[in-house]
Amino acid sequence: MTTPALHSVMPAVPLSKVSIQDSFWSYYADLARNVVIPYQWEALNDRIEGAEPSRAIRNFRIAAGLEQGEFHGFVFQDSDLYKWLEAVGYRIATHPDKEWEAIADQAIELVEAAQMEDGYLNTYYQIKGIDLRWTNLLDAHELYCAGHLIEAAVAYSGATGKTKLLDIACRFADHIDDVFGTGPDQIRGYCGHQEIELALVKLYQATGQERYLKLAAYFINERGTDTTFYSREAERRGYTTIWSAHPDWPHPERKIDLQYHQAHAPVREQNTAVGHAVRAVYMYTAMADLARLNGDTQLLDACRKLWNDITRRQMYITGGIGSTHHGESFSASYDLPNDTAYAETCASVGLVFFANRMLQLEAKSEYADVLERALYNTVIAGMALDGRSYFYVNPLEVWPHACSCNPGKHHVKPVRQQWFGCSCCPPNIARLLTSLGAYIYTVNTNSNTVYTHLYIGSTADLQLAGQSFRLVQTSNLPWSGNASFTISELAEPAAFTLALRIPAWTQGALPVVKLNGQPFSFKPDDIQEGYLTIERIWRAGDRIDVELAVPVLRLKSHSELRYNAGRIALQRGPLVYCFEETDNGSNLAALSIATAGEITVEQDDRLLPGVIMLQCEGYKEASSEEEGEELYSVYSIAEPERTLLRAVPYALWGNRNPGEMSVWIRRQR
């Protein structure tokens, strides 16, 4: 079922129209531009001493015939370069830089040199054997890599006006459109790792070519309709697999887990998030895009159900998703272990994408609440404060000793890594941070409303009610709840609505609002779906000041989330907090926290300027010296020792001395 009412409901304000000047996020934006992008370029060229080599650039040189050699890395190694190029495009869009534009242009020339005459481009198959292309859609990531090429091309073309990379992407997309479909000579299949779908939507929006939107819809609509496709494909190639060189991967003749690939049922019939978490949220992002652009209410309904399942039953308090390292996957409702959590950084980046697309369909604050939760916690925790090391996995509890000797925790790292053989996460962080401005605002031209979803200091050039103007936001988040919005460059008075999100972490406390320095009162009806709507005739110079409550919250889990039974986590504003060995000593499991009493805040500038640490009364069980050497002993009701507990934002953990970490801590009755 479709309806035109959904078409282009609330598009995001383009990145080129938004500039970030923020006391918190400017640090990360500057880090992404000035450190992360240069560092990752060095990594792609294998110039980071002591880091695992990427060989991504070398693969392209070999495919282009510029040197001899064998393919190195995972089958999706090309995507690391594409995501890096996408990040450079966003960097140039907000901060033009001829030096990095020239470096990117050289990389694009290399990509062009590697592309085949029919448009095909994938260094793995071009080096390993082109006759085998399109024979292993389940595992080979050809369409996945193509999707990241397309996203890079759209970003770079939009930033520079140069079309070389966009032309490369269009040639490849045209080739894909010829190969795939329901025609007699076409492959009626789809990629095992979703990405091409959301990328084709971007290509349609950049070029206006309907064939790309139709191709995106084909891949979404076809998925799960023929549950024998992958097994028949495997049989045709004799059950060979590209993973034979990677002994940790399943046996070639394994039974294909369709749920892992979200191919077990047509997408409109999927109500529960299953399988590989990154694949899932990339697919859900494309579904939301297509629901909006095609007015598809059935897709929208499926998106709502999947959103609810993730956020109500399968999401960590940090915005991490995908709880098990077996397949980097969702497992089951409320199965969210802390010490073996996978919570891949890429999955939280994908959750941000999904939330962003849902906000373009429906202005509901719950989408922005989750977007903010993932962004402020898991996404930036995935990168060190120096921008030169990364977490792939984002656990909520770390005991370094167990990580070093327990095979069930081999994926959990107590320190960030310089680079990875499978290095999808670092460039994903880079492309999100460099495009952050595109996630702050959406505009509904039908109701003449501009929505502020994130409180990030910025300027946005907007058009509403037939006029252009600039919205200037200042924000003290996440350390305090103060923000302001000023209207400037408005030639004539204009009637429109400013909608400001009331975050869930305010716990229902209404904001204190001033208009031009005077108290501003509002009615209950002015709060719609979690947004305070201020409708009036605006004039240049008008200013709204907002003060949001920022209480320290003691949070508990749903009773079915058994790993956290009897445990508490702390949150202040958008930030989830954790306890580190550096502040609280070893054996964090022996600590407990009072369920009542004051939690004080203190500023500590040693990690970042303005960082708020939390302090509260707690307790510590007997030390090992007091217990003796017996492994088990009779329970004693002796009172634990009182102690002062100190918590640091989870986003910043692991930036000091390596040691234990825990988000959840036992409560003391």
Side-chain angles (χ1 to χ4, degrees):
M1 182 184 299
T2 61
T3 171
L6 289 178
H7 188 83
S8 297
V9 177
M10 286 176 291
V13 176
L15 180 62
S16 61
K17 301 294 184 181
V18 180
S19 175
I20 291 178
Q21 307 92 25
D22 184 79
S23 58
F24 180 78
W25 284 105
S26 286
Y27 174 84
Y28 285 98
D30 292 345
L31 190 70
R33 287 195 309 274
N34 302 325
V35 177
V36 176
I37 285 175
Y39 179 87
Q40 293 187 1
W41 177 244
E42 294 300 298
L44 292 168
N45 283 279
D46 310 315
R47 295 194 289 252
I48 303 295
E49 185 177 352
E52 191 164 353
S54 164
R55 307 281 171 82
I57 294 294
R58 186 167 184 267
N59 287 340
F60 276 95
R61 290 185 58 80
I62 296 169
L66 300 177
E67 63 178 88
Q68 299 295 313
E70 296 297 322
F71 180 90
H72 177 92
F74 285 90
V75 70
F76 42 78
Q77 211 77 359
D78 292 2
S79 65
D80 290 351
L81 174 59
Y82 296 150
K83 281 186 280 189
W84 180 84
L85 281 169
E86 184 182 353
V88 174
Y90 296 141
R91 182 197 197 283
I92 293 171
T94 57
H95 293 75
D97 188 309
K98 292 299 182 183
E99 178 184 356
W100 281 104
E101 188 173 335
I103 293 172
D105 286 344
Q106 291 175 6
I108 291 167
E109 289 177 4
L110 179 60
V111 172
E112 182 183 45
Q115 187 171 35
M116 296 176 60
E117 288 187 10
D118 65 1
Y120 183 82
L121 180 57
N122 185 282
T123 67
Y124 177 86
Y125 279 107
Q126 288 174 255
I127 296 170
K128 302 280 282 187
I130 194 62
D131 292 344
L132 296 177
R133 63 176 172 173
W134 305 133
T135 61
N136 188 350
L137 296 177
L138 180 71
D139 293 325
H141 289 67
E142 287 164 281
L143 290 170
Y144 168 86
C145 290
H148 280 301
L149 167 62
I150 291 168
E151 289 200 85
V154 171
Y156 197 75
S157 173
T160 64
K162 297 177 179 178
T163 63
K164 179 175 287 189
L165 190 59
L166 189 65
D167 291 340
I168 294 168
C170 286
R171 286 195 295 271
F172 198 3
D174 291 346
H175 170 78
I176 293 167
D177 194 34
D178 291 338
V179 170
F180 291 91
T182 58
D185 297 322
Q186 292 181 303
I187 299 173
R188 190 165 183 172
Y190 41 85
C191 192
H193 193 313
Q194 301 91 313
E195 156 63 23
I196 186 67
E197 300 86 351
L198 69 90
L200 285 167
V201 171
K202 288 187 176 183
L203 191 60
Y204 156 70
Q205 292 172 318
T207 65
Q209 293 294 315
E210 290 279 348
R211 68 185 297 189
Y212 302 137
L213 184 65
K214 291 179 179 178
L215 184 56
Y218 159 77
F219 283 126
I220 288 294
N221 293 332
E222 187 68 21
R223 193 170 207 89
T225 59
D226 178 1
T227 56
T228 66
F229 170 75
Y230 285 138
S231 59
R232 288 186 284 110
E233 179 191 63
E235 183 180 11
R236 282 194 298 270
R237 65 173 185 272
Y239 297 100
T240 58
T241 173
I242 51 92
W243 299 120
S244 58
H246 300 281
D248 291 339
W249 288 81
H251 189 272
E253 295 185 33
R254 73 191 188 277
K255 180 180 178 181
I256 296 170
D257 182 357
L258 294 177
Q259 287 195 339
Y260 175 81
H261 302 276
Q262 297 82 38
H264 57 292
V267 297
R268 291 169 179 79
E269 298 174 15
Q270 296 186 27
N271 301 320
T272 303
V274 296
H276 188 270
V278 178
R279 300 171 199 237
V281 286
Y282 280 9
M283 183 179 82
Y284 305 157
T285 298
M287 289 167 60
D289 276 337
L290 291 167
R292 175 172 57 88
L293 294 171
N294 291 336
D296 192 326
T297 56
Q298 288 184 339
L299 267 184
L300 174 56
D301 186 53
C303 286
R304 288 171 176 153
K305 291 177 181 177
L306 292 161
W307 174 270
N308 289 339
D309 181 66
I310 291 174
T311 60
R312 287 161 173 74
R313 289 176 285 276
Q314 298 201 72
M315 182 180 73
Y316 285 98
I317 193 172
T318 55
I321 57 173
S323 60
T324 174
H325 73 277
H326 294 284
E328 305 174 332
S329 295
F330 295 104
S331 55
S333 296
Y334 309 114
D335 182 37
L336 296 168
N338 298 305
D339 59 341
T340 59
Y342 206 78
E344 182 183 345
T345 303
C346 282
S348 287
V349 171
L351 183 60
V352 168
F353 296 162
F354 184 26
N356 173 257
R357 301 314 201 278
M358 293 303 289
L359 281 169
Q360 294 178 46
L361 279 159
E362 306 175 304
K364 293 185 176 181
S365 62
E366 66 171 290
Y367 301 133
D369 285 334
V370 171
L371 191 161
E372 182 184 67
R373 182 177 294 279
L375 180 64
Y376 274 87
N377 295 288
T378 299
V379 171
I380 56 175
M383 180 176 68
L385 286 173
D386 65 1
R388 293 181 172 87
S389 58
Y390 304 87
F391 281 137
Y392 192 104
V393 174
N394 294 278
L396 281 74
E397 183 176 323
V398 173
W399 180 21
H401 173 66
C403 296
S404 68
C405 58
N406 183 343
K409 296 182 180 180
H410 73 280
H411 58 289
V412 176
K413 306 298 182 186
V415 295
R416 293 172 179 85
Q417 308 296 294
Q418 288 182 300
W419 201 248
F420 307 93
C422 174
S423 201
C424 50
C425 295
N428 238 350
I429 296 173
R431 67 178 182 143
L432 179 55
L433 290 179
T434 50
S435 63
L436 184 58
Y439 295 84
I440 302 173
Y441 309 100
T442 59
V443 172
N444 188 330
T445 55
N446 294 327
S447 63
N448 282 328
T449 302
V450 54
Y451 289 88
T452 297
H453 304 299
L454 297 173
Y455 289 94
I456 295 177
S458 53
T459 61
D461 294 323
L462 307 170
Q463 283 192 321
L464 275 179
Q467 291 207 54
S468 60
F469 64 96
R470 174 166 288 180
L471 180 66
V472 180
Q473 177 184 174
T474 63
S475 171
N476 291 326
L477 261 72
W479 313 124
S480 81
N482 298 319
S484 69
F485 299 84
T486 303
I487 306 297
S488 69
E489 300 184 19
L490 179 64
E492 300 290 338
F496 57 86
T497 300
L498 193 60
L500 308 176
R501 173 174 145 259
I502 303 176
W505 41 259
T506 63
Q507 289 294 286
L510 295 178
V512 176
V513 182
K514 291 182 179 180
L515 172 61
N516 296 328
Q518 299 301 312
F520 178 81
S521 60
F522 50 88
K523 304 182 294 295
D525 290 347
D526 293 331
I527 299 177
Q528 301 174 11
E529 299 288 0
Y531 288 83
L532 170 61
T533 57
I534 304 174
E535 181 181 2
R536 66 188 303 272
I537 296 175
W538 299 87
R539 293 171 172 80
D542 281 347
R543 172 177 168 138
I544 291 287
D545 291 291
V546 180
E547 184 179 345
L548 300 168
V550 192
V552 178
L553 306 177
R554 288 176 169 92
L555 299 177
K556 68 180 184 67
S557 296
H558 189 283
S559 60
E560 291 287 342
L561 207 172
R562 304 177 184 203
Y563 305 98
N564 297 334
R567 304 177 85 183
I568 284 174
L570 302 181
Q571 181 175 337
R572 182 178 184 273
L575 296 173
V576 172
Y577 279 71
C578 68
F579 300 86
E580 286 195 274
E581 182 177 339
T582 297
D583 303 306
N584 303 285
S586 61
N587 195 12
L588 297 181
L591 300 178
S592 58
I593 187 172
T595 56
E598 184 181 11
I599 298 177
T600 61
V601 301
E602 64 166 354
Q603 183 171 323
D604 187 331
D605 295 332
R606 285 176 292 179
L607 284 169
L608 279 179
V611 169
I612 295 295
M613 309 283 274
L614 303 181
Q615 288 192 143
C616 61
E617 183 181 75
Y619 304 87
K620 188 166 188 176
E621 300 291 343
S623 67
S624 58
E625 290 80 6
E626 297 170 305
E627 290 178 312
E629 295 184 0
E630 293 185 6
L631 184 58
Y632 305 103
S633 58
V634 175
Y635 178 75
S636 170
I637 59 172
E639 286 292 323
E641 176 188 352
R642 289 179 180 269
T643 187
L644 185 66
L645 303 181
R646 199 163 187 258
V648 62
Y650 176 82
L652 304 179
W653 89 270
N655 280 285
R656 298 177 292 176
N657 298 325
E660 296 180 49
M661 181 277 292
S662 184
V663 169
W664 293 93
I665 188 169
R666 290 186 299 121
R667 68 171 184 261
Q668 180 72 26
R669 293 189 180 276

